[in-house]
Structures are given as C-alpha cells and as structure tokens.
Amino acid sequence: MASETALGVERRVVVPPREGRAARLPRGRRFRVVDLEGHQCGDLFAYVADVVREYASAEHTRVHVDRLFPRPGEHFVTNRRRPILAFEADDSPGVHDMLIAACDPARYEGLGVGGHHASCQENLQRAMAGLGHDHVDVPQPINLFTNIGLGPERELLWRPALTMRGDSVTLRAELDCIVVLSACPQDIVAINECRPGPLALELLA
C-alpha cells in the first residue's frame, strides 16, 4: 500500500478475468484503468450517480468529438450530451474502440458456445445491482484497449489488444458518477488473445 500511495494511488480495485467491478466517484476524482498482464480489453461504463438513466454514450461522444474515439484532453459525454468523463492521459498504444456492443449471452450463443459464458453485459448488471440499481440500460461501452480494424470491404477485424503489462489510461469524473469496469471475458474471437486477464481500477489521490 505504501508504494501505491507514493504513486498517488489511494485505492486499487483489481478486476479479475471475466468479472466486473463498480466504484462511486465524486466529481473531480481521477482514476486510472491498468492492463495488469497485457492484451486485455476493458469495457468501461459510467452512469450519473443519482440519475442512472443518464450515462456515458458512445454515439453521442462520437458526435461531440467528431471522431471515433476521444483524444486526451477531450470528453466522453452522456446521452444528454453532458461531459461525464475527461480523458486525461493515454499511457498505452492508444488503440481503443467505441463501435462494438458489450458481449452478452446471445453473442456467445451465436458464436457456438453451449451453456453459460460470462459476459460484459452480465458483469455490468451484477455490479450495478450490488449498488442497488437492479434495472439499468446497457449502453455501448467505452472499449478500452480494444483493437477493432476495418478490412478492404469495410468488414470488422477482431485483432488482439496491443497493450503490454502496466499500460493504462487516466480519466477524471466530470459529474458524480458510478463507473463499472469489466475485464472482457471474450475468448472466442482474438481481442484478448483468447485468454482473458485481469485489469485494475486505480482511484488516484
């Protein structure tokens, strides 16, 4: 803990592979998402703390920044077009996504998985239910470290994440909010090199 404090980390929440964790953040709180082992995608969601019907919206953010993903110094905005997260720093290869929906049970069924398979949608719902929000919209996530490309026919290419151990992004809450981070369980397509790993959500002093 002493070394974390020296680095300005007030609290570290480890998100195990295939699971999700939530944290309440006051306006102004800075936090960092860290890829602990490398090549792991993280689905990040953010809801306004007192009105969870308002949440970080990928489609509204794309319009707000006029590109597919914000750059450091820009904002993620809500479905009411209000800034909810500021993108402060990117200490990773800088490849992220806001096109792909959260994986869910139907996605894995379509990929041929029999029986239950963990998903980012269920991780989100479980984490929010743990904070008393049993029924929430499931928005398109901020897919950190997710390497989705376009082929010659504009088809989607599901490429492995480029991150290495310890790569991170730093954000700041612009509203009192609840953030949920899911260590994506996807092990059928190659985005996590088919071996999901852990992430960390670090709350900065």
Side-chain angles (χ1 to χ4, degrees), residues 85 99 165 173 195:
L85 298 175
L99 293 176
R165 181 190 302 268
R195 50 175 185 82

Side-chain angles (χ1 to χ4, degrees), residues 3-62:
S3 61
E4 288 185 359
T5 302
L7 292 170
V9 179
E10 186 173 287
R11 181 162 68 97
R12 170 182 265 203
V13 179
V14 173
V15 184
R18 306 174 189 268
E19 296 185 18
R21 295 292 186 271
R24 293 181 182 270
L25 303 180
R27 180 178 180 178
R29 167 70 79 173
R30 299 171 64 245
F31 66 98
R32 186 161 52 218
V33 176
V34 186
D35 187 348
L36 294 179
E37 294 181 0
H39 309 292
Q40 175 59 40
C41 303
D43 285 33
L44 181 69
F45 306 86
Y47 294 81
V48 175
D50 296 328
V51 187
V52 296
R53 292 187 304 276
E54 185 178 1
Y55 46 78
S57 167
E59 54 264 45
H60 292 85
T61 297
R62 291 194 298 265

Side-chain angles (χ1 to χ4, degrees), residues 100-169:
I100 304 304
C103 60
D104 55 29
R107 170 67 165 149
Y108 290 107
E109 182 180 353
L111 288 170
V113 176
H116 179 262
H117 190 291
S119 70
C120 288
Q121 174 178 297
E122 293 172 304
N123 288 344
L124 166 68
Q125 292 168 328
R126 188 175 298 112
M128 290 297 286
L131 295 178
H133 300 288
D134 293 323
H135 303 286
V136 294
D137 291 334
V138 180
Q140 184 179 324
I142 299 164
N143 294 310
L144 296 172
F145 315 137
T146 304
N147 183 11
I148 302 297
L150 283 179
E153 301 298 324
R154 299 185 67 79
E155 71 273 21
L156 295 177
L157 303 177
W158 302 83
R159 294 168 169 166
L162 299 176
T163 42
M164 303 300 288
R165 181 190 302 268
D167 285 351
S168 68
V169 295

